[in-house]
Amino acid sequence: MGNVAAIVGRPNVGKSTLFNRLTQTREAIVDEEAGTTRDRHYGKVEWSGQEFSLVDTGGWVVRSEDVFEEEINRQVQIAIEEADLILFVVDVVNGVTDLDDAVARILRRTAKPLIVVANKADTYALHAASADFYRLGLGDPLCLSAMNGSCTGDLLDRMIALFPGTQREETEEELPRIAVVGRPNAGKSSLINAFIGEERHIVTAVAGTTRDSIYTKYDKFGMNFYLVDTAGIRKRGKVNEDLEYYSVIRSIRAIEGADVCVLMLDATKGIEGQDMNIFSIIQKNRKGLVVCVNKWDLVEGKSQQMIDGYIRAIRERLAPFTDFPVLFISALSRQRILKVLETAGQVYACRRKRIPTAQLNSVLLPLIEQTPPPAWKGKYIRIKYVTQLPAGQVPSFAFFCNLPKWVREPYRRFLENQIRKHWDFSGTPVRIFIREK
């Protein structure tokens, strides 16, 4: 599985700004007021051909002023336990504060690779001030400005050099890995127990009781799989114990380590923001998807009309990716649970599907001729040839044309829809590349 880096530090040193800079997004909320990051933030970073995950722990669980320090300590603890590399962000303008000292005390006990990031060094004159951070006893501080981006390349170079070598957990490579994911208490462990037919996981009615991600080899009914049960991904503030803070990075790892994710929804609750967050992690990692609506036996007055309405609502919420199977199950009464495995197997097969180049061209080129890309400033865009790229993680297609950079997003979506219409790629993302012929 991929490497995970965690950002730690006291409030208002610019953790979220650094996160946005490295992941090239604007996801974390950035505000002048201290402690505005209330959510875990997760992103993918690509640098010199390597990809890793970045988690912004900022202000994770701050509930009241008097436990400020304790909560920061907890974030640091989680980072130490779960991440492969820690970025300790400090503020060059303010120098070392008591809270920085407190964080450094905990960090000095870890053997994990660590970088002291001296942020807000917006001008070179401020670089000299970073010498103050040597007294934290954590090595050379690296000066940068997350706001204007200076020296962030140096940071990424150093991170790549410090990451341990990536290897996948030892399992037989050619078997599909299926992760069952969803918010706490959607019935993930019940589903896995129903598959395996034994009480392998602790199942209780308390949300968030599964602590670990576990690979389970499964070879019943003539099917071979690895099942990954993820520690529940959970919204903060729902529960006072700390289980879920430890589990969130593990859940990310479980999704990264899977080929197909079974997203469990609770039929009695519908789609909530938390489900959307999990879906976005699956999407960022381009994993196969099967959506399972669990606890369907508890829904009153079921009808086909209701099922259709439910499916429509799910596809609307998860758009623009809508080509995935939706199943209605009950893990407890074992309704249609075998169908879940069969469908996940089909999605895995779709991910590995290869389409001959001759077939692609004979089907798609006439369609492209009928509906060519819109002209740009009087220049006509001509797509001459299409081929499927060699086996990667997801089916990828290259379209060769004379003016690739003027092919816009709506037209890429049109091409993807045509591919999906003629070949079955249900449940798996499809990538479209436009290249110069």
Side-chain angles (χ1 to χ4, degrees), residues 350-367:
C350 289
R351 278 173 81 77
R352 304 184 69 103
K353 185 179 291 180
R354 306 277 309 145
I355 297 164
T357 302
Q359 199 183 335
L360 273 174
N361 284 285
S362 66
V363 171
L364 293 176
L365 290 182
L367 290 168

Side-chain angles (χ1 to χ4, degrees), residues 214-315:
I214 309 165
Y215 276 108
T216 310
K217 182 146 190 227
Y218 179 88
D219 54 357
K220 292 184 178 174
F221 316 104
M223 298 188 217
N224 261 338
F225 289 105
Y226 278 102
L227 282 175
V228 191
D229 181 17
T230 58
I233 304 177
R234 166 105 58 104
K235 213 163 30 201
R236 61 157 284 286
K238 277 285 164 70
V239 95
N240 290 329
E241 56 214 44
D242 305 333
L243 296 175
E244 101 223 40
Y245 309 124
Y246 292 97
S247 72
V248 68
I249 299 182
R250 267 176 221 171
S251 312
I252 290 168
R253 283 183 197 268
I255 290 173
E256 290 180 352
D259 298 307
V260 179
C261 296
V262 175
L263 176 58
M264 302 278 283
L265 301 179
D266 186 331
T268 58
K269 291 187 177 158
I271 291 196
E272 292 182 355
Q274 194 60 10
D275 299 312
M276 297 299 294
N277 293 342
I278 298 168
F279 172 70
S280 79
I281 296 176
I282 295 170
Q283 278 259 278
K284 272 181 191 154
N285 285 286
R286 301 195 183 94
K287 300 299 181 185
L289 174 69
V290 178
V291 173
C292 284
V293 183
N294 189 26
K295 309 187 186 177
W296 191 238
D297 50 334
L298 305 179
V299 176
E300 300 291 311
K302 295 186 277 282
S303 64
Q304 189 55 44
Q305 203 174 350
M306 191 174 172
I307 290 178
D308 295 342
Y310 222 101
I311 293 177
R312 201 164 45 247
I314 290 170
R315 294 201 196 284

Side-chain angles (χ1 to χ4, degrees), residues 189-211:
S189 294
S190 305
L191 179 66
I192 288 193
N193 290 340
F195 285 156
I196 300 169
E198 62 190 63
E199 293 298 312
R200 162 80 195 266
H201 300 83
I202 325 152
V203 181
T204 64
V206 183
T209 41
T210 313
R211 309 282 173 106

